[in-house]
């Protein structure tokens, strides 16, 4: 096999399609695309990406014998998103069980063409592109293969989000968990509540480094997506078979919303009119008041969110809700008594449960961080298990669906090495190998319980990622390893061939180079990737396995 067959994520099966292997097919200006019924969008993607990179027209098929054949046939594959790819001396065949599977076949085909196929324009006057003779059969392990992108702490302009969607598609990831609101910023236009973006989308300054750092970036930071921006992002993602799941945080992580509309806060405890969008990191004590006014306000928010996002799931946060203000609030205590609740944890459960019912009535499903288990899990809710495995195990055993994203394994803001040159060191050391050996399904689950694990997700929190370069550095190459964990049928973690993965990464780094990704090099950060003197929060030792 050649370096072009060093594929990531690894397919279920790959074999030589011709005796002796070698070149199976040569693309040139005469190569045409034979697009069968339902394959037109994949054909369009091939022309727009592979055609642009190679300079080949890839015209619709007429009578030429030189062709790339695209077909959708559920009988040819192993279930949703599965595909087959055959390159022999006569034809390139891409077949999918559905359009998504065919799209992933096209992504694999792009890898077979070599790193230059990932550029946006030809770099050499190459007129012939050789494709190795291979036969590939492939299907994903999980239906949820996600990336959580936090644009609330540091705003990412729309073009950066579209770029991330392209990078996700290249790795066969299919869910963008879009973290749009938090204490430090509100990033989505809600037309009935204009102050959410007029006031809530920017802050006057930003803590630089960990919250204990003495450094500040003393300039305003902000930005938001208009509703048309959101429609564009969702449509662009759909063309790449990526579902965008929005997150609107309630009842904690809401200071930006309270700064815009002070009546949303606990006005009987503090002067909410004095609050501004938070300029530091951590967990704000300023949380939503559990009032009917707050519920009606957020129902209005979610009505507009549902119009923009057709996803099955809507994420409501539910994490790290400090309850000190509720304990001090006569209104919150009266609500606890009125509802006959045990305590403030049960009040949070009631709050989340209200939106579970509200979303269910509109044909959607609520998902939240694993704190929503506290006080009782809402009936139809799914759980993003971030505080280790425990929340996911408890939810699955109770019959709830789970997305596994434990902090100590797949939080990509955590540092990648122990060296002093590692920029803004946060959390545990999580190397490329650590991510590669992550197992999303907890061993203690039975077979029936394990079926509630929808899949897995890597999380990119951007408190200390102030720009695209920092996001690239923290995310790659570890997201490449994560993508293989989410897609491929790998053995148990200790038995995985990490040396083989590293060998395949040597080819994949060249693809990332062609895509312009500022990843962390295997030898460590480049000088301009470092942040000398910027305080982080390193945690020593191995992370707890819980």
């Amino acid at each position: 096999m050649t370096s072009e067959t060093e594929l990531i994520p690894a397919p279920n099966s790959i074999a030589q399609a011709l005796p002796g292997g070698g070149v199976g097919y040569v693309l040139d200006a005469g190569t045409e695309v034979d697009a069968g019924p339902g394959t037109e969008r994949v054909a369009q993607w091939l022309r727009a990406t592979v055609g642009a990179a190679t300079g080949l027209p890839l015209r619709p098929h007429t009578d030429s014998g030189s062709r790339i054949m695209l077909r959708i046939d559920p009988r040819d594959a192993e279930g949703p998103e599965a595909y087959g790819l055959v390159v022999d001396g006569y034809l390139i065949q891409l077949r999918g069980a559905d359009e998504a599977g065919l799209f992933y076949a096209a992504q694999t085909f792009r890898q077979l063409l070599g790193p230059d196929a990932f550029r946006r324009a030809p770099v050499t006057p190459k007129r012939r592109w050789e494709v190795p003779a291979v036969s590939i059969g492939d299907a994903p392990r999980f239906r949820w293969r996600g990336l959580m992108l936090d644009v609330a702490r540091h705003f990412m302009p729309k073009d950066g989000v579209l770029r991330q969607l392209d990078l996700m598609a290249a790795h066969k990831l299919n869910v963008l968990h879009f973290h749009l609101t938090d204490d430090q910023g509100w990033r989505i236009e809600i037309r009935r509540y204009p102050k959410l973006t007029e006031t809530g989308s920017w802050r006057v300054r930003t803590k630089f480094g960990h919250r204990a750092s003495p450094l500040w970036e003393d300039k305003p930071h902000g930005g938001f997506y208009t509703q048309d921006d959101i429609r564009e992002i969702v449509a662009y993602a759909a063309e790449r078979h990526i579902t965008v799941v929005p997150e609107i945080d309630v009842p904690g992580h809401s200071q930006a919303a309270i700064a815009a509309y002070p009546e949303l806060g606990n006005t009987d405890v503090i002067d909410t009119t004095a609050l501004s969008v938070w300029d530091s990191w951590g967990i704000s004590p300023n949380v939503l008041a559990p009032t009917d006014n707050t519920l009606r306000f957020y129902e209005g928010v979610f009505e507009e969110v549902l119009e923009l996002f057709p996803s099955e799931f809507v994420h409501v946060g539910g994490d790290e809700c400090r309850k000190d203000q509720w304990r001090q609030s006569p209104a919150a205590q009266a609500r606890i008594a009125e509802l006959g609740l045990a305590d403030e944890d049960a009040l949070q459960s009631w709050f989340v449960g209200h939106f579970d019912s509200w979303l269910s009535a509109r044909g959607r499903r609520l998902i939240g961080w694993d704190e929503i288990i506290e006080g009782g899990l809402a009936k139809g809710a799914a759980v993003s298990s971030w505080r280790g495995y425990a929340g996911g195990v408890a939810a699955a055993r109770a019959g709830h669906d789970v997305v596994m994203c434990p902090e100590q394994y797949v939080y990509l803001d955590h540092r990648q090495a122990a060296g002093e040159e590692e920029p803004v060191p946060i959390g545990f050391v999580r190397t490329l190998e650590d991510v590669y050996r992550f197992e999303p399904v907890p061993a203690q689950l039975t077979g029936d319980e394990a079926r509630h694990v929808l899949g897995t997700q890597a999380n990119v929190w951007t408190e200390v990622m102030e720009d695209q370069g920092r996001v690239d550095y923290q995310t790659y190459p570890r997201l490449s390893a994560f993508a293989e964990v989410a897609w491929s049928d790998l053995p148990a973690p200790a038995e995985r061939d990490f040396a083989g993965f590293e060998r395949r990464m040597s080819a994949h780094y060249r693809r990332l180079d062609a895509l312009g990704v500022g990843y962390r090099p295997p030898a460590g950060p480049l000088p301009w990737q470092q942040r000398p003197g910027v305080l982080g929060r390193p945690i020593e030792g191995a992370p707890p396995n819980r």
Side-chain angles (χ1 to χ4, degrees), residues 277-293:
V277 177
W278 209 19
D279 57 11
S280 191
W281 315 126
I283 308 171
S284 170
N286 297 299
V287 303
L288 298 174
T291 64
D292 290 341
N293 175 66

Side-chain angles (χ1 to χ4, degrees), residues 59-120:
R59 299 182 182 90
H61 180 57
T62 53
D63 295 323
S64 168
S66 177
R67 61 186 171 131
I68 304 168
M69 187 177 76
L70 309 180
R71 294 291 185 270
I72 295 175
D73 188 346
R75 297 171 299 177
D76 284 353
E78 304 171 14
E81 301 182 284
Y83 72 88
L85 185 155
V86 177
V87 180
D88 57 27
Y90 305 96
L91 187 66
I92 297 173
Q93 300 182 57
L94 309 184
R95 292 183 176 273
D98 47 26
E99 189 186 24
L102 184 67
F103 179 72
Y104 297 132
Q107 289 287 356
T108 298
F109 169 64
R110 188 187 189 190
Q111 289 196 21
L112 293 174
L113 285 168
D116 283 347
F118 288 80
R119 297 187 180 277
R120 296 190 182 184

Side-chain angles (χ1 to χ4, degrees), residues 365-546:
R365 294 184 64 190
L366 180 147
I367 186 169
W369 302 109
D370 56 52
E371 284 94 333
I372 68 173
I373 298 172
E374 298 167 3
L377 193 59
K379 182 179 179 182
V383 170
S384 300
S385 186
W386 75 275
R387 295 179 299 177
Y389 287 113
V393 169
R397 285 177 173 169
H400 292 268
D401 289 337
V402 177
V403 175
M404 296 304 302
C405 48
E407 175 184 20
Q408 64 268 46
Y409 293 99
V410 290
Y411 268 38
L412 300 186
D413 54 321
H414 282 215
R415 56 191 173 137
Q416 302 184 65
E420 292 184 1
E421 74 280 1
E422 204 63 28
V424 199
I426 298 295
F428 297 104
V429 173
R430 295 287 81 189
T431 65
L432 183 66
E433 182 171 2
D434 290 328
V435 175
Y436 190 67
R437 297 195 189 280
F438 164 59
E439 173 48 49
V441 179
Q444 58 265 51
L445 293 181
T446 67
D448 287 341
E449 292 166 348
R451 278 190 276 276
H452 284 291
V453 179
L454 301 177
T456 184
Q457 174 176 289
N459 294 344
V460 178
W461 299 104
T462 62
E463 286 96 332
V464 298
M465 301 181 209
E466 70 276 7
D467 55 30
Q468 178 175 290
R470 284 286 292 128
V471 172
D472 276 6
Y473 179 89
Q474 292 296 135
T475 305
Y476 294 94
R478 291 184 296 182
L479 193 69
S480 303
F482 172 81
E484 184 149 311
V485 169
W487 177 278
S488 304
D489 188 15
L490 298 176
E495 300 169 7
R496 292 177 188 171
D497 181 9
F498 179 68
F501 175 77
E502 282 191 305
R503 184 193 68 247
R504 287 183 286 118
M505 275 302 301
S506 65
H508 199 63
Y509 283 123
R510 296 198 295 275
R511 299 179 192 124
L512 296 178
D513 287 333
L515 287 165
V517 177
Y519 57 84
R520 182 188 190 275
L526 299 166
W528 56 87
Q529 293 174 321
Q530 299 176 28
R531 295 291 187 274
V534 180
L535 185 66
R537 183 183 60 91
I539 302 174
E540 302 303 331
N545 185 16
R546 53 174 170 77

